[in-house]
Amino acid sequence: MDFITLLILAILIYLVLHFGPRIFGSWMSSRVLAKVMAQPSDVRRAQLDPESQFVVHITESEVSCHRPDGIVETVRWNDLERINILTNSDGPFAPDCFWLLIGPETAGCCIPQGATGDTELLARMQELPGFNNQIFMEAMGSTQEAIFTCWEKAA
């Protein structure tokens, strides 16, 4: 082989080694993205955000949480005794913040932050007299295991 052929071969090898992974990676990424985007948006959200599979229903008389395993937890607003926020250090790849709506001994709900309907739930809870937004904000900044009481029923 002469010098020019070796030079051209070296340039081709360099180009393949240098740009090949970028081109292949980009091609592969666009295929994966196309596959994900072909799914309905609620399926995509559930895959990316498992908390969204928990669905909160609010009525004038009660709040309930429909869990992905089929269990439904319910507490009546009149029976609500305390609202806690439970935080842990599992985030961001696992649920790390939960609303604990505590009623009588056998009633209550455990709702992960990010559940479908949790924005409406927060708005409804903030209407309760004495709901402590300062404690709520402290809980949202917590990255360790802790329980914060945002509201308690007046005695």
Side-chain angles (χ1 to χ4, degrees):
M1 288 189 164
D2 62 3
F3 176 73
I4 303 254
T5 308
L6 283 174
L7 182 61
I8 292 173
L9 186 60
I11 291 172
L12 286 174
I13 289 172
Y14 170 78
L15 291 174
V16 168
L17 291 176
H18 186 71
F19 292 106
R22 292 181 188 173
I23 293 168
F24 180 72
S26 174
W27 173 76
M28 199 60 174
S29 296
S30 53
R31 289 202 48 169
V32 169
L33 182 61
K35 198 177 227 184
V36 168
M37 294 307 287
Q39 298 173 334
S41 62
D42 57 336
V43 172
R44 287 195 315 262
R45 182 167 183 211
Q47 289 173 340
L48 298 174
D49 189 9
E51 297 93 325
S52 69
Q53 295 179 24
F54 291 75
V55 180
V56 178
H57 292 283
I58 302 169
T59 67
E60 286 299 315
S61 61
E62 67 184 23
V63 59
S64 60
C65 181
H66 298 253
R67 298 166 38 137
D69 60 7
I71 295 173
V72 178
E73 298 174 333
T74 303
V75 66
R76 297 183 57 76
W77 290 113
N78 290 341
D79 294 336
L80 190 60
E81 296 172 355
R82 185 170 54 252
I83 298 174
N84 289 343
I85 298 176
L86 170 71
T87 61
N88 63 47
S89 59
D90 292 345
F93 300 110
D96 62 349
C97 186
F98 301 86
W99 289 104
L100 304 176
L101 282 61
I102 302 167
E105 293 177 24
T106 59
C109 291
C110 177
I111 304 168
Q113 180 185 17
T116 301
D118 75 339
T119 304
E120 294 82 7
L121 174 64
L122 175 59
R124 176 66 173 87
M125 291 186 300
Q126 287 176 319
E127 292 174 2
L128 295 169
F131 184 88
N132 191 324
N133 281 301
Q134 181 63 37
I135 292 177
F136 165 69
M137 295 302 292
E138 287 175 33
M140 293 299 104
S142 176
T143 58
Q144 57 190 352
E145 294 185 20
I147 295 178
F148 300 84
T149 300
C150 294
W151 180 84
E152 285 189 89
K153 186 181 238 180

